[in-house]
Amino acid sequence: MTTEASKANIMIVDDARETLQLLSRMLYKHGYDVRPCDDGQTALSSANSAPPDLALIDVSMSGLNGYELCRLLKKNPATKDVPVLFISALNDIRNKIKGFEVGGVDYITKPFQFQDVLARIKVHLELSQRLRELTVGWDQEKLYRETIAQINDEALHHVVHDIRNPLHIIALNLSLVNKHLSTPNERVQGYLASIEQNLDTVNRIIGDCVV
């Protein structure tokens, strides 16, 4: 999907040819890449193949109507973030509420002023772009934290490995001292017991670090 509003791809879906041609012509003049579709099913296939930056969808269409088209777009991970603006002659509050319930971000009633349509498209394209930037930023931060955690984990394992080797040697030497030292006095026995106790403590701490 494009990032510059002036080059954004706008999908227009309306089975009324005059409206479709009017919106297409006007948006094209304002620098947008326009993708006109005269029925919901064609629009769905087109969006699934190449998601647009924004979709301007008529509500009342034969076959797949605007609400159902929007609902299907929101179910697809590839198109769920495409802003959907409904445009319809149905101006009662129930239809507007339904438009927002199925995932629309705006509802424009016919007859419309093109400058109003243009302004709303610009606003929602900018909001969509900012949301993508926030999402990318969050993903990058998450990746950074995961990488740091992995580096710290690997470093910890290296440190533990480096510590365990001399500890094994100390434990082995202590065992040999105990074996070959004949009747050590009470003070020496205390020293040896303290060394053994501290070795057990260090091994326990290391075991807790690598769990």
Side-chain angles (χ1 to χ4, degrees):
M1 294 167 68
T2 56
T3 56
E4 297 181 41
S6 61
K7 297 180 181 178
N9 182 278
I10 310 295
M11 184 171 71
I12 307 171
V13 191
D14 200 319
D15 59 359
R17 179 167 296 183
E18 290 183 1
T19 303
L20 186 64
Q21 291 177 344
L22 172 64
L23 288 171
S24 299
R25 184 168 60 252
M26 297 303 293
L27 288 175
Y28 180 78
K29 285 182 179 180
H30 281 79
Y32 291 104
D33 182 10
V34 182
R35 194 190 315 180
C37 300
D38 58 6
D39 68 87
Q41 195 60 53
T42 299
L44 181 62
S45 299
S46 176
N48 289 339
S49 299
D53 292 298
L54 182 143
L56 190 62
I57 302 176
D58 182 38
V59 171
S60 301
M61 296 185 292
S62 57
L64 190 65
N65 66 42
Y67 294 140
E68 288 301 317
L69 173 58
C70 181
R71 189 178 285 112
L72 291 171
L73 291 174
K74 297 304 172 182
K75 285 184 178 180
N76 185 348
T79 56
K80 66 181 181 64
D81 295 325
V82 174
V84 173
L85 281 66
F86 288 109
I87 185 163
S88 175
L90 303 174
N91 61 2
D92 62 277
I93 190 64
R94 289 176 299 176
N95 283 285
K96 293 180 180 179
I97 291 174
K98 186 174 181 179
F100 291 111
E101 287 177 342
V102 298
V105 297
D106 210 337
Y107 193 103
I108 304 168
T109 55
K110 298 177 182 179
F112 54 81
Q113 295 293 324
F114 182 74
Q115 290 302 320
D116 179 38
V117 176
L118 196 65
R120 297 193 193 198
I121 287 175
K122 182 178 179 181
V123 166
H124 288 295
L125 283 172
E126 291 176 352
L127 289 174
S128 178
Q129 174 62 20
R130 291 182 183 182
L131 180 59
R132 287 197 298 272
E133 290 172 353
L134 287 173
T135 301
V136 170
W138 184 85
D139 287 342
Q140 289 176 340
E141 181 180 355
K142 182 181 178 184
L143 178 60
Y144 171 78
R145 290 180 178 179
E146 290 176 348
T147 302
I148 292 299
Q150 183 179 356
I151 292 172
N152 289 340
D153 188 57
E154 292 175 355
L156 177 61
H157 277 79
H158 284 301
V159 170
V160 168
H161 181 268
D162 290 342
I163 293 174
R164 273 180 168 164
N165 284 336
L167 284 178
H168 288 320
I169 295 173
I170 293 172
L172 178 61
N173 289 332
L174 181 61
S175 175
L176 292 173
V177 169
N178 281 321
K179 181 178 180 180
H180 295 288
L181 188 63
S182 58
T183 60
N185 61 43
E186 186 176 340
R187 178 176 293 182
V188 173
Q189 286 180 340
Y191 292 153
L192 294 175
S194 177
I195 294 172
E196 188 172 356
Q197 182 179 358
N198 282 281
L199 277 174
D200 290 340
T201 300
V202 174
N203 280 316
R204 185 170 62 254
I205 293 172
I206 289 174
D208 292 340
C209 288
V210 297
V211 171

